[in-house]
Amino acid sequence: VLGLANAYPNPEPLNGTIPRNTNATIDPSLIRRQSDGKLFLYGTGPGPTGNIGGYVWTADSLYGPWTQSNDSALSEECDAPNIFEADGIYYMFYAKPFDWAALGYTNPNASIDSHNKALYVRNSTTLEPLSWNDDVNATRLLIDWSQNYNQLDISVILSEEGQYLASFGSYQQGIYQIPLEPTLDAVINGSGTTQFNMNGNNIHHLAENFTWITDPVPNTDLIEASFQFYWDGYYYLFFSSGHAQTQAVGSTSIWSNAGDVYKIMVCRSVTATGSFVDSAGQSCLESGGTEILATHDLIWAPGGQGVLNDTEVGGPIIYYHYVPRTSTDGAPIGGGYSFGWNKLDFSGGWPVL
Ligand SMILES: *[C@@H]1O[C@H](CO)[C@@H](O)[C@H](O)[C@H]1NC(C)=O
Ligand SMILES: *[C@@H]1O[C@H](CO)[C@@H](O)[C@H](O)[C@H]1NC(C)=O
Ligand SMILES: *[C@@H]1O[C@H](CO)[C@@H](O)[C@H](O)[C@H]1NC(C)=O
Ligand SMILES: *[C@@H]1O[C@H](CO)[C@@H](O)[C@H](O)[C@H]1NC(C)=O
Ligand SMILES: *[C@@H]1O[C@H](CO)[C@@H](O)[C@H](O)[C@H]1NC(C)=O
Ligand SMILES: *[C@@H]1O[C@H](CO)[C@@H](O)[C@H](O)[C@H]1NC(C)=O
Ligand SMILES: *[C@@H]1O[C@H](CO)[C@@H](O)[C@H](O)[C@H]1NC(C)=O
Ligand SMILES: *[C@@H]1O[C@H](CO)[C@@H](O)[C@H](O)[C@H]1NC(C)=O
């Protein structure tokens, strides 16, 4: 029925405090500890112990109550973490600033915010904050700097063929993917300082959106925050499209209109490395993507999503951040990102909330 097409459900009601921080919970990563079923929710920094590290929330149930840890996730910057479990070890992939000039990169763009990041991995056996071998330097994934991508928003999957694959990318030219070694701490063929590059190896370009946003400032290629998930014969590529935040216009910061702020898209493919298409068959390298959640009711700019196949609800859920607003009449007043989740139904082949 026209007009009802975008009737999205509200996040599941939560008991107690909804995980929400002044600037976070942005880019949530949710995982359940195998040993005791405790849930851990990590997000982008700043954390409680300074302007670094990221907040961590825990709960026994998806419905809460959620408890905020007094410790930061890490003792260093922790951007858009993705936590992945393999053989009983937890791996946290995340981004932080990197001095590309020190490696000889002369492109001045390599020192611009977001473009000055690199991807790192740490591991833990407990998932607890500060348990991520914080006493040693994190291992950098040796990916060349490129004008084509930002090294941000990593997501890892184990393909049905047994290959670990990391997707990453934030704006620039969209979402890319690289294979990882079985040890999960290196890109395949990575050695030296910067080995994995656009011109060689198996880097896959998965998605790009060429459509321009005009409000409030013209911009294109605004997709990021990919999340790879396998379900019943298909690899699904979830991503966030549009502006995650307010945009600087002169001396003020304003939101885009509701259609141009974060919304959640999905594409799928029968093979893990692509080609990804949307439900209309449009290539996701040519602006394709099927919207599954966008601004509605008091939920503004939902995104930064992940998917978890969870025992508590007996199936997959999608979790995300959103900006709460007090009126359906437009953008929120004030900031702050809250955590929400909904069940995800794949029974029709394409996921719906
Ligand atoms: C939130 O972000 C703003 C802008 O980056 C910063 O000025 C402020 O200190 C942050 N607040 C907290 C609690 O970290
Ligand atoms: C909220 O908490 C109460 C008391 O612990 C519990 O009985 C109820 O099931 C919880 N609600 C949800 C939706 O989990
Ligand atoms: C955090 O610290 C406060 C103040 O010391 C304490 O009341 C609270 O229980 C602590 N929270 C956790 C999760 O340990
Ligand atoms: C730096 O980035 C801008 C904006 O994306 C682009 O137009 C420009 O060509 C880039 N410069 C170089 C040297 O790559
Ligand atoms: C965890 O990280 C440490 C430090 O980089 C490394 O020595 C160790 O091999 C890693 N463990 C696993 C199981 O990956
Ligand atoms: C790794 O390098 C070897 C030798 O150059 C090449 O044959 C192989 O295809 C590369 N593997 C990947 C995954 O790029
Ligand atoms: C691509 O960008 C346009 C303009 O912002 C937007 O309307 C559209 O929903 C986006 N599509 C995808 C798949 O990101
Ligand atoms: C989802 O989890 C259930 C157990 O909760 C498991 O039986 C099923 O195999 C899982 N499915 C996938 C695709 O991971």
Side-chain angles (χ1 to χ4, degrees), residues 26-348:
I26 307 176
D27 309 323
S29 179
L30 178 65
I31 187 165
R32 195 180 279 280
R33 184 160 62 189
Q34 290 183 336
S35 59
D36 61 357
K38 190 173 180 181
L39 289 156
F40 285 79
L41 176 65
Y42 277 75
T44 293
T49 54
N51 201 30
I52 53 164
Y55 286 97
V56 182
W57 295 74
T58 60
D60 294 324
S61 163
L62 287 168
Y63 297 95
W66 289 89
T67 304
Q68 186 186 303
S69 170
N70 287 332
D71 291 322
S72 293
L74 302 177
S75 59
E76 64 174 4
E77 189 165 329
C78 175
D79 290 337
N82 174 246
I83 299 175
F84 185 84
E85 181 273 329
D87 296 329
I89 308 287
Y90 302 100
Y91 296 84
M92 186 200 291
F93 298 87
Y94 63 103
K96 64 173 177 170
F98 184 69
D99 185 1
W100 291 101
L103 281 189
Y105 284 80
T106 54
N107 192 321
N109 287 351
S111 61
I112 291 175
D113 190 34
S114 291
H115 227 21
N116 66 349
K117 301 281 166 78
L119 293 166
Y120 290 82
V121 59
R122 291 181 180 275
N123 61 60
S124 164
T125 54
T126 67
L127 280 174
E128 296 286 347
L130 300 177
S131 72
W132 301 90
N133 49 31
D134 230 6
D135 50 333
V136 295
N137 287 327
T139 305
R140 185 169 69 87
L141 299 179
L142 301 181
I143 305 169
D144 266 1
W145 187 87
S146 167
Q147 180 61 40
N148 293 2
Y149 48 70
N150 281 324
Q151 293 190 36
L152 268 173
D153 295 349
I154 186 169
S155 142
V156 175
I157 193 172
L158 176 61
S159 76
E160 295 297 288
E161 291 75 34
Q163 175 69 61
Y164 290 113
L165 294 165
S167 67
F168 65 94
S170 166
Y171 300 166
Q172 299 297 320
Q173 291 176 26
I175 313 298
Y176 288 80
Q177 184 195 61
I178 50 164
L180 298 181
E181 294 282 6
T183 49
L184 278 159
D185 61 354
V187 296
I188 286 182
N189 284 355
S191 63
T193 51
T194 59
Q195 291 292 320
F196 212 100
N197 60 63
M198 294 295 295
N199 301 318
N201 304 310
N202 292 333
I203 194 160
H204 293 105
H205 194 191
L206 302 185
E208 183 169 0
N209 184 358
F210 295 99
T211 316
W212 282 76
I213 281 178
T214 53
D215 170 55
V217 281
N219 221 324
T220 188
D221 290 336
L222 296 185
I223 67 171
E224 60 178 358
S226 64
F227 191 93
Q228 308 173 91
F229 186 71
Y230 177 81
W231 191 265
D232 201 14
Y234 288 99
Y235 294 90
Y236 291 86
L237 183 71
F238 296 83
F239 57 90
S240 304
S241 177
H243 284 303
Q245 303 168 342
T246 54
Q247 301 302 299
V249 178
S251 58
T252 61
S253 270
I254 58 172
W255 283 103
S256 301
N257 66 57
D260 286 337
V261 295
Y262 251 17
K263 47 191 176 290
I264 301 177
M265 298 284 180
V266 68
C267 299
R268 76 177 190 190
S269 167
V270 290
T271 50
T273 53
S275 303
F276 286 89
V277 295
D278 69 14
S279 63
Q282 174 73 22
S283 167
C284 296
L285 277 172
E286 295 166 11
S287 307
T290 298
E291 183 188 295
I292 59 166
L293 185 65
T295 291
H296 68 97
D297 301 298
L298 300 180
I299 307 302
W300 179 265
Q305 73 297 318
V307 178
L308 179 70
N309 177 30
D310 192 58
T311 45
E312 185 176 2
V313 296
I317 65 160
I318 186 164
Y319 58 88
Y320 47 90
H321 71 234
Y322 64 91
V323 185
R325 57 178 177 174
T326 52
S327 153
T328 56
D329 276 352
I333 311 294
Y337 293 77
S338 294
F339 168 79
W341 66 271
N342 293 88
K343 289 182 190 173
L344 203 54
D345 178 6
F346 281 90
S347 60

